[in-house]
Amino acid sequence: MQFDESPELDQFKDGMPENTPAPDAGRKKFRVILLLTFIVVSLFGVALLLKENRTLATLTGTAVVQGRVVDEDGQPFIGEIFILGTELKTQTDANGNFELRRVPSGEQILIVADELIGRDFSIQVTTATTLEMGEIRFETTAMPPN
């Protein structure tokens, strides 16, 4: 305890006060805050490390599937990509590129679709990898007249 933190003599004129602050109460609070900060930063660091080295993907048995979809003229295809039987879905970007994360490992059915039709592709997904589909050509079939 520093001198300027010492109690005044007037506090003891009627005897010892009942509620005297602990001399190291400020240090104790500082230590608790420091410990909690260390725990939060450590957990964040571990989560970031697991994400970066694909350990989380290995533990969960998932992978990433990515590629580019073009139409029959070689132009970027704008549509939806999803894995059949899951809630995993994404949209292609303006260049036709897509990326699906947390795809379950094993044989999966990748669906490429627009508002009217869809096409399926059988893919084999390996845990903790990125399956690069390359360029997928989305060719429409004859549409029945309305």
Side-chain angles (χ1 to χ4, degrees):
M1 174 183 324
Q2 295 187 9
F3 182 73
D4 58 342
E5 296 174 354
S6 299
E8 298 289 326
L9 190 58
D10 292 342
Q11 293 177 341
F12 299 99
K13 66 182 176 190
D14 296 325
M16 271 305 257
E18 291 183 27
N19 296 333
T20 58
D24 63 344
R27 284 187 192 153
K28 193 178 233 182
K29 185 176 180 181
F30 176 75
R31 287 181 191 150
V32 169
I33 291 172
L34 188 62
L35 179 64
L36 289 175
T37 303
F38 176 74
I39 290 171
V40 168
V41 169
S42 296
L43 289 174
F44 179 74
V46 167
L48 189 61
L49 182 65
L50 288 175
K51 180 182 178 214
E52 290 301 317
N53 70 8
R54 298 183 187 253
T55 303
L56 191 57
T58 301
L59 293 173
T60 58
T62 62
V64 176
V65 175
Q66 61 188 21
R68 180 171 186 256
V69 185
V70 295
D71 62 17
E72 56 263 345
D73 298 324
Q75 297 301 311
F77 175 81
I78 306 300
E80 191 169 87
I81 311 295
F82 60 95
I83 301 295
L84 191 64
T86 72
E87 294 187 18
L88 299 173
K89 65 180 175 179
T90 189
Q91 295 280 84
T92 57
D93 65 14
N95 296 319
N97 297 313
F98 71 91
E99 180 176 278
L100 280 170
R101 295 186 170 275
R102 296 184 298 278
V103 178
S105 62
E107 189 170 336
Q108 302 294 334
I109 304 295
L110 179 84
I111 305 290
V112 178
D114 63 8
E115 299 109 19
L116 302 174
I117 57 173
R119 185 162 174 218
D120 63 303
F121 299 88
S122 181
I123 59 174
Q124 185 64 41
V125 179
T126 306
T127 298
T129 61
T130 297
L131 175 59
E132 177 57 56
M133 298 286 299
E135 190 170 276
I136 300 171
R137 186 166 297 273
F138 185 84
E139 297 177 2
T140 57
T141 58
M143 297 291 293
N146 288 335

